[in-house]
Amino acid sequence: KKKRNLSPDRKTLVPKATRIGISEPKVNEIYHELRQLRVEDTPHACAVLLRVFLELCTDKYCEANDIPLHADKDGRKIEKPLARRVEEAVDHMIAAGARKGPFQALRRGIHQDHSPLSAALLNSYVHNRFTKPSPRELRNAWDHVEPFFQRVWQAPAE
């Protein structure tokens, strides 16, 4: 296998060597936009699209594997927070035979406020007018979450 360069100096969020076959049109379009946008020139667009891409991929995996997206609270169905949905999807992947190692940064980072993968930080990129994304942190976030994206979209075993 050819070793790919995960240089923090790459121009786009998604490394050129990364290939993910995405079967859903909207999610595929977002992925291709993330492959083309220059992270130094468009950090806000990259941050918001990364957050949307993570949520859509997580929800696709959960739906395909009968992992509930909602929880009951006081007799009402409420949407589970993104961090919880990601965590449950990763737990399912590992229970289904995936190695833990590639998901450790995502599992740890999704709950840590200062991680580039923090669900709270990703939400702040969308909803807080003072939160500004760093291109370097965005590239690091992609590098840590890419194994998750690869696993979500891998072809099912025959």
Side-chain angles (χ1 to χ4, degrees):
K1 227 177 181 181
K2 184 178 176 184
K3 188 173 183 177
R4 57 192 181 118
N5 180 8
L6 293 179
S7 167
D9 297 328
R10 68 180 182 258
K11 305 279 188 237
T12 59
L13 185 67
V14 181
K16 296 235 181 277
T18 298
R19 297 286 184 257
I20 304 174
I22 299 172
S23 58
E24 294 186 10
K26 179 180 178 177
V27 182
N28 191 44
E29 289 169 10
I30 292 170
Y31 166 69
H32 283 281
E33 287 180 27
L34 285 170
R35 289 180 56 81
Q36 294 172 356
L37 289 173
R38 293 174 51 94
V39 71
E40 295 288 338
D41 298 338
T42 60
H44 297 284
C46 289
V48 171
L49 280 178
L50 176 60
R51 195 256 182 244
V52 170
F53 188 68
L54 176 61
E55 183 167 19
L56 293 175
C57 290
T58 301
D59 289 355
K60 184 269 184 201
Y61 186 87
C62 288
E63 288 170 356
N65 291 283
D66 297 321
I67 301 168
L69 298 174
H70 296 84
D72 290 325
K73 183 176 181 179
D74 300 327
R76 301 177 303 141
K77 279 193 174 236
I78 60 165
E79 186 174 73
K80 291 178 186 174
L82 178 60
R84 184 167 165 201
R85 292 181 305 206
V86 168
E87 188 173 38
E88 289 177 3
V90 168
D91 288 345
H92 184 274
M93 290 174 178
I94 292 168
R99 291 186 0 227
K100 285 182 182 180
F103 305 109
Q104 288 302 94
L106 174 58
R107 288 177 70 120
R108 185 176 54 252
I110 199 79
H111 296 290
Q112 290 180 343
D113 288 342
H114 299 293
S115 166
L117 282 174
S118 162
L121 180 60
L122 292 172
N123 287 334
S124 287
Y125 290 149
V126 176
H127 301 290
N128 185 320
R129 65 188 170 123
F130 301 108
T131 304
K132 294 173 63 173
S134 152
R136 182 178 178 91
E137 285 182 346
L138 291 172
R139 286 187 292 260
N140 286 339
W142 178 272
D143 293 345
H144 293 307
V145 76
E146 184 179 316
F148 177 77
F149 295 145
Q150 294 282 0
R151 185 74 180 202
V152 167
W153 298 103
Q154 76 180 13
E158 299 286 324

